[in-house]
Each structure stands twice: as structure tokens, then as C-alpha cells.
Amino acid sequence: MLGSWRRLAAHGLARRERPLTVHHLNQLLLLCSLVLLVAVAAVRISSRSGLPSLLVYLGIGIAMGQDGFGIHFNNAELTQVMGYAALVVILAEGGLGTKWKQIKPALPAASALALLGVAVSVGVTAAGAHYLSGLEWRQALIIGAVVSSTDAAAVFSVLRKVPLPARVTGVLEAESGFNDAPVVILVVAFSTAGPIEHWYTLLGKILLELAIGAAIGLAVGWLGSWGLRHVALPASGLYPIAVMAIAVMAYAGGSLAHGSGFLAVYLASMMLGNAKLPHWPATRGFAEGLGWIAQIGMFVLLGLLVTPHELADDVLPALVIGMVLTMVARPLSVVMSLVPFRLPWQEQTLMSWAGLRGAVPIILATIPMVNGVAGSRRIFNIVFVLVVVYTLVQGPTLPWLARKLRLGEGPQAADLGIESAPLERLRGHLLSVTIPEGSRMHGVEINELRLPAGAAVTLVVREGKSFVPLPTTVLRRGDELLVVATDQVRDAAERRLRAVGQGGKLAGWLGTTGNGTPGR
């Protein structure tokens, strides 16, 4: 059985033209299912150890490769295509989970990090790779560009249990969504045959592609959110599919228009995620599931592409370049980019250490391989070792550093889980509200919610039993509420519910409005 799976995997992953029978397909589906189950189980290991899950998935791919399970795979072009597809899904999922009120104040700083910060990081890292590791300038520039992109999934997988200030998380999240675009342009430019373009020509190209991608992403996101809010689909399961289709459309539109498709999909997804769409929790869960599948498939494929016994000669250069990147290039890029914003040194220190590299650098390292750049295999190996080693070093220490810098302290009220379903014929909405642990709505009476006229709590589900509440009914943690609201007061009702969840019964007087702004 083991031998047949090896032959099947080689049949499916290598460039062969033998017909694939139903029996082969059944075996391939079984193998893929086993890999997914192992990967899902491995998430438990990464969550307990504090390591980003990408290392676990890479390990699965390496174990299946020619030095382990015996699968021979060296198709860099297929890896690049599949990696791009996975990145689209991952960026879409990240954009859908980005809160506009949190990221809005961080946009200028994040944009500076994504442009000026990337330029500084590329230059310093390339100089270190050239003078300390003896790489040619083209190879050094490619490596400098490849490793200058941060990975939101890697950063927040280890910081998910550490409540950070909104400004820090906003800058890190926005930076990771924005810096993919200029880095991809730089890597492609450095990997193209012939002389490298003048810096001002390259800068103009980057700015133009970013502008086109941003315009298309915002347009597609606005049109998509408007359409989904005004059209009641016949089944709730269609909303997640429609949202992901709109996000992918933004990427395709941006790329076809010679803009940044990655920036387009991130901005479109961010607009969709902040548009109060119907059945939003279900849509969010669907996107998270797709994001997990994309990460698992992408990292396993990248692990397959690696040949471990060929890495020995590239370990020392990877460690040297990684040291330059981590200790010099990243801190310098953060300090130079954030000078106008005068952020505290504690926040700048955490941002410098939180520049985790994940999927994006390894995928981008396949571009010179596809383009036939001299020494491209060595570039890939160096990047792979660098990402693995420095993720092992930085990942587990990030929560510790946040606590030492006193950036992870202070209790936070848990946000409510609110799902909205439109009642098109009745011109109203049903709001399903879940009161989580830590919500300050616990202990509040129904009449103390002070919902706007046109909104009312019609049903409460507590410990599996439902009842119609009285005005004096006291709400508890774990309760599920059914709130009916007219179209005119739907947004106001949700804002009031969130305000009470964050500030309790005195939310209006304490300055909590539920939309991230002070009360009046």
C-alpha cells in the first residue's frame, strides 16, 4: 500500500501523461484526506508550543518528500501557481477579519512600512548577502526582496492570545497586507533577464501598479458589499461563496489590469468584512476554513519542493543573512519609516521583532527558479532555511517580549457575536446575538439595553431552553438573543448592543458607543 501511494503521488505531482484511473483518484483522495487530518491534529501541537503552524505543515511536506516518504517533486512552476492561488485565499481571509476602526488610524504608518520600510530592508539585506555571504548582486537583491515581506498569519498565530494595543496590531496587520504587492514587483524585476531597471523607473512602476490595484480593489469591494446588502439570496450558504467569489474577482481584475492583484484582493476583502453583510459569522467561518486549507496545501507543497540533504551548504549563509535581516534591516526599516509618527520605543521594538517571514518569501523564491536565474536553487534553499530557523527563534519569543514591554497587559471586554439575516418582505432584520465570556452585558436587564425604537429582544436562549423575556429579565454570559429591528434602526441597534457589551449598562455615559468612537 505504501509503495502504491508513492507511485500515485509521483504520478500526480510529476509531469507525466499516463491516464489517471478512478482507482488512482480514490487513493489520491484518501491520501489527501489523511494529510489534512494529520495537519489539523498538528495545529494542537503548534498552539501549545507557541510555534506558527507553518512549521508543522512544512515538516509534513518534507516528511513526504524524497528524503522521507519518497515522493520526488521538483515542479517549481506548479508550486508558484498553487502558491499564488493559496495567497489569494489567505489574503482574502485576512482582509475579511480586519476591523476598519482598528486599522484606519494605522494606515499611514503601515503604508510607510510597506514602501519605505521594504526599500530599506531590501537594500540592507542585499548588502549583507553580497559582502558577508559572497553572493552576486542580482542574487543578493533577489534574496533581499524575497525576505522583505512579512506574514500576517505567522505573526498573529503566535500573538492570538496576547491582547496588544490596537495601534500595534493595526500597523502589523495592514503592513502584512500591503507589503506583498511591492515585494512581488521587485522580485519579478530582479529575476527578469537583462539589466535591472533604473530605481526611479522601478519606483514609478510600483506606485502605478499599487494605484491600479487599490482602485480596483476598492471598487469591487464597494460594489460587492452593496449588492450583497440589497439582494436576499435564497440560501444562507450562498453568502460565503459569493463573498469569496467577489474577493477572487478583485485579484483577477487587478492582475489583468496590470495592477497589484494582491493589494486588490486585500482591500476588497477588507471592505466586505466591514460592510455588515448578512450571515456574517457563517461567512467568516467559511473563509477561515478555506484559509486553513490553503495554508496546509501550500506549505505541504513547499515542503515537498525542498530536498533536505542539499541544504547543508546553505545553512551558514542563511543564518548570516537572517541575522542581518532580523537585527539590522528590520529594526532600521521600522525606525526610519515611523519617524514622523513618533511611536513609543516599546511599540517600535515589538514591530521590529514581529517581522515574521512565512509563506510569501518561500513562494516568491520560486520566481527566479521559474525564470531560470543562475543560482536560483541556492536562493530557494537559503530562503527556506532562513524562514524556518528565524521563525523558530522569533515565534515563541513574541508573546514573552510583548509582556516584557508591557504591551500585552490589561483586561479587554469581549466583543459580541452578532449575526444578521435580512427579512426582505418585512423590511427588517433578525439579529442573532451571542453573549461571550468577558462581555459586560452580563448582569444587564433587557430594559437597560435601551435599544432604539423599532428594535426589540423577542427571544432568549439559555442553557438550551428558549423563552420570551420580560423587560426585567437579567442577561447572562452564554445567552443567545434574537433581536428584531427595522431597516431604519438596524445599524443603530447593533451599535447599541456592542456598546453595552463593551461598557455595560452605562455605556452611553462612559463614552462607549460600539463603533470605536467616544460617546457624546
Side-chain angles (χ1 to χ4, degrees), residues 327-471:
M327 306 306 295
V328 182
R330 173 66 182 180
L332 187 60
S333 65
V334 169
V335 171
M336 292 183 63
S337 301
L338 301 182
V339 166
F341 306 100
R342 299 181 179 179
L343 298 183
W345 69 267
Q346 295 93 335
E347 295 184 7
Q348 295 191 43
T349 301
L350 184 64
M351 291 179 191
S352 299
W353 193 246
L356 285 180
R357 271 69 190 172
V360 178
I362 304 178
I363 292 173
L364 295 181
T366 64
I367 294 178
M369 295 176 66
V370 174
N371 290 348
V373 175
S376 58
R377 187 71 196 190
R378 189 185 183 199
I379 293 174
F380 181 86
N381 290 341
I382 289 175
V383 172
F384 185 88
V385 174
L386 187 155
V387 169
V388 171
V389 171
Y390 284 92
T391 300
L392 282 170
V393 173
Q394 293 175 272
T397 57
L398 271 175
W400 172 84
L401 180 62
R403 290 191 294 269
K404 287 297 182 180
L405 295 174
R406 300 184 182 276
L407 295 176
E409 299 180 348
Q412 294 184 349
D415 196 10
L416 297 176
I418 300 181
E419 180 171 358
S420 174
L423 301 172
E424 189 176 29
R425 295 182 181 178
L426 302 180
R427 299 185 181 278
H429 285 262
L430 289 176
L431 302 179
S432 177
V433 183
T434 302
I435 303 178
E437 292 290 334
S439 173
R440 290 173 183 156
M441 191 178 285
H442 175 78
V444 176
E445 295 183 0
I446 293 292
N447 58 6
E448 292 174 330
L449 292 176
R450 294 190 290 118
L451 296 176
V457 179
T458 59
L459 195 70
V460 175
V461 180
R462 178 176 297 166
E463 297 178 352
K465 297 180 180 180
S466 59
F467 60 92
V468 177
L470 298 173

Side-chain angles (χ1 to χ4, degrees), residues 467-485:
F467 60 92
V468 177
L470 298 173
T472 56
T473 298
V474 178
L475 300 175
R476 301 178 184 174
R477 300 182 185 93
D479 284 355
E480 296 181 21
L481 317 180
L482 185 65
V483 180
V484 178

Side-chain angles (χ1 to χ4, degrees), residues 141-270:
L141 286 170
I142 291 174
I143 290 180
V146 162
V147 298
S148 294
S149 179
T150 57
D151 191 313
V155 171
F156 289 101
S157 67
V158 296
L159 288 179
R160 60 186 178 274
K161 295 182 180 179
V162 182
L164 294 175
R167 178 167 56 185
V168 175
T169 56
V171 171
L172 290 173
E173 190 169 352
E175 180 204 6
S176 63
F178 293 164
N179 64 12
D180 291 343
V183 166
V184 169
I185 297 170
L186 287 174
V187 175
V188 172
F190 295 153
S191 301
T192 303
I196 299 174
E197 300 181 50
H198 296 293
W199 68 268
Y200 51 84
T201 304
L202 196 56
L203 177 61
K205 183 178 180 181
I206 291 174
L207 294 177
L208 178 60
E209 291 196 16
L210 291 177
I212 294 174
I216 292 179
L218 293 174
V220 172
W222 184 86
L223 289 173
S225 59
W226 182 88
L228 290 176
R229 285 199 309 267
H230 290 82
V231 177
L233 297 178
S236 60
L238 293 175
Y239 284 93
I241 298 174
V243 167
M244 293 305 297
I246 292 170
V248 174
M249 183 187 301
Y251 170 80
S255 298
L256 291 175
H258 301 289
S260 173
F262 291 120
L263 182 60
V265 67
Y266 183 77
L267 291 178
S269 302
M270 187 170 62

Side-chain angles (χ1 to χ4, degrees), residues 78-100:
L78 175 62
T79 305
Q80 180 184 330
V81 172
M82 297 300 293
Y84 272 38
L87 282 177
V88 171
V89 176
I90 293 171
L91 282 173
E93 190 270 330
L96 292 174
T98 300
K99 295 181 180 179
W100 174 247

